[in-house]
Amino acid sequence: MTSAHIPQPSGTLRAVQVFGACGGGHVSSLSGGLVARGIEVTVCAPAASAAAYGFDGTGARFAPVEIGGRPGPLGEAAAVAALRAACAGTHVVHAHGLRAGMLASLALTGARGPALVVTWHPPAPAFGTRAGLTRLLERRVARAATVVLGASTDLVDRVRGLGARDARLAPVAFPVPRPRHAPDRDALRAELGAEKRPLILAVGRLEPYKGHDLLLDAARCWRALDPAPLVAIAGEGSRRAELAARIEAEDLPVRLLGRRGDVAHLLQVADLVALPSRWEAHPLIVQETLRAGVPLVATAVGGVPDLVGDAAVLVPQGDATALARAVADLLADPARRTALTTEARAQAATWPTEDHTIAQILSVYDELTGAPAR
């Protein structure tokens, strides 16, 4: 489906990767893989992302663009101008996320090519006027893109409903950091306060859509267990003060750990992981959990059911009672936890590797530009 308006590469295929608040790890992995396959890659992202995601080691050129930086028309105009300059003479622009897709589409308005590929990372649920504006933005980006890639079937169906010309399933393989050494299990559990009781781990931003309020509701039920499990929540966000106040007022067995750089170690010492989200797309913590073989209880939202198959216990979104019961049942059933460990690792083995993801993306670029198959 090559377009006559898309410039055909006579030499090296040139691609620009654009991202803001989401997708940094994936873009870093993708950029390095594309460069290794002979693609000339420029990455446009906030300046702080260069070091945070190790772009220096990918072989890609990094062009700082404050995607999602200064609010208002002036900030957007500056980002669009910077993107327009970075995209001049390129063959494919690949935006990751809604805001990146919107700014990239504005930068390419009126241009004869390049192709615009958007990997769809839908925003967190919005309400009221903001919800209406978000849907308008989604529709504009979906219709502006040459191809939209969605990590799960529900995302592909959604973007088709928004009017996308070409929407495809493209599961994302995120690089998962492996700990260089095993943690001292007893010492880490003692640090968390879980020496002689089960440890339930939750990882995610402290924002409403992550459902931590439901996790606190469930924790209230777990106080009756003997021993009562400890819930450890790794992450930061706007709801920290509100959650901390509830934990203290209700004397809940919950610790807010803040932002942690040792999630891989936390997974190794946890008895199970809880994901109480009201919405998710293709959560990295689910991939990390199943690869680590840790039993998972999660809400059946977004792309989670497709991702886990039968390798996790799924409960309805918003049902704290179902969440509490599922966790309590697992804690009381060591054989089921062992079976889930085996199923989790088997399910993780079915996911696409980084090489598969890179090859699929490259095949899309080649198709759009008419480049010979590699």
Side-chain angles (χ1 to χ4, degrees), residues 169-262:
L169 182 65
V172 174
F174 287 89
V176 177
R178 304 276 183 193
R180 295 180 182 176
H181 57 84
D184 183 325
R185 179 181 176 86
D186 291 340
L188 184 50
R189 287 181 67 101
E191 173 199 327
L192 298 172
E195 300 98 320
K196 297 181 179 179
R197 54 177 171 167
L199 175 62
I200 300 168
L201 177 66
V203 179
R205 291 166 56 89
L206 305 184
E207 302 296 342
Y209 74 91
K210 286 294 189 179
H212 291 112
D213 56 319
L214 301 171
L215 190 58
L216 298 195
D217 292 341
R220 197 164 50 218
C221 302
W222 297 327
R223 288 185 302 192
L225 300 179
D226 185 20
L230 174 71
V231 181
I233 304 176
E236 279 293 352
S238 65
R239 291 297 184 266
R240 181 184 179 90
E242 177 184 318
L243 295 172
R246 262 199 72 183
I247 292 166
E248 182 176 2
E250 300 176 30
D251 191 26
L252 299 175
V254 179
R255 283 197 60 189
L256 300 179
L257 305 181
R259 190 174 287 108
R260 299 282 296 219
D262 60 345

Side-chain angles (χ1 to χ4, degrees), residues 17-24 27 43-46 49 53 55 62 65 67 96 100:
Q17 306 292 321
V18 185
F19 76 94
C22 61
V27 176
V43 176
C44 296
S49 301
Y53 296 106
F55 282 102
F62 189 89
V65 179
I67 310 292
H96 302 260

Side-chain angles (χ1 to χ4, degrees), residues 91-335:
H91 302 105
V92 178
V93 175
H94 189 164
H96 302 260
L98 185 58
R99 184 167 178 80
M102 183 270 290
L103 293 174
S105 70
L106 291 174
L108 300 179
T109 298
R112 295 178 64 83
L116 175 60
V117 177
V118 177
T119 291
W120 201 258
H121 297 283
F127 304 95
T129 303
R130 184 178 175 186
L133 293 174
T134 297
R135 185 159 181 87
L136 287 173
L137 178 58
E138 288 182 313
R139 186 177 293 113
R140 187 200 189 288
V141 173
R143 295 180 178 183
T146 314
V147 173
V148 179
L149 304 176
S152 58
T153 54
D154 69 303
L155 293 182
V156 173
D157 290 343
R158 175 174 174 77
V159 80
R160 283 175 179 157
L162 291 167
R165 289 176 280 171
D166 186 341
R168 311 182 189 186
L169 182 65
V172 174
F174 287 89
V176 177
R178 304 276 183 193
R180 295 180 182 176
H181 57 84
D184 183 325
R185 179 181 176 86
D186 291 340
L188 184 50
R189 287 181 67 101
E191 173 199 327
L192 298 172
E195 300 98 320
K196 297 181 179 179
R197 54 177 171 167
L199 175 62
I200 300 168
L201 177 66
V203 179
R205 291 166 56 89
L206 305 184
E207 302 296 342
Y209 74 91
K210 286 294 189 179
H212 291 112
D213 56 319
L214 301 171
L215 190 58
L216 298 195
D217 292 341
R220 197 164 50 218
C221 302
W222 297 327
R223 288 185 302 192
L225 300 179
D226 185 20
L230 174 71
V231 181
I233 304 176
E236 279 293 352
S238 65
R239 291 297 184 266
R240 181 184 179 90
E242 177 184 318
L243 295 172
R246 262 199 72 183
I247 292 166
E248 182 176 2
E250 300 176 30
D251 191 26
L252 299 175
V254 179
R255 283 197 60 189
L256 300 179
L257 305 181
R259 190 174 287 108
R260 299 282 296 219
D262 60 345
V263 170
H265 283 168
L266 293 174
L267 284 169
Q268 289 188 57
V269 304
D271 293 291
L272 61 85
V273 170
L275 184 76
S277 305
R278 294 182 169 88
W279 166 87
E280 287 288 355
H282 203 255
L284 175 58
I285 186 56
V286 167
Q287 296 184 62
E288 292 177 311
T289 298
L290 267 61
R291 282 190 171 120
V294 183
L296 171 68
V297 177
T299 46
V301 295
V304 173
D306 281 353
L307 194 57
V308 304
D310 296 324
V313 177
L314 298 179
V315 298
Q317 183 270 125
D319 191 338
T321 301
L323 175 65
R325 185 182 304 115
V327 168
D329 288 348
L330 264 187
L331 291 177
D333 190 347

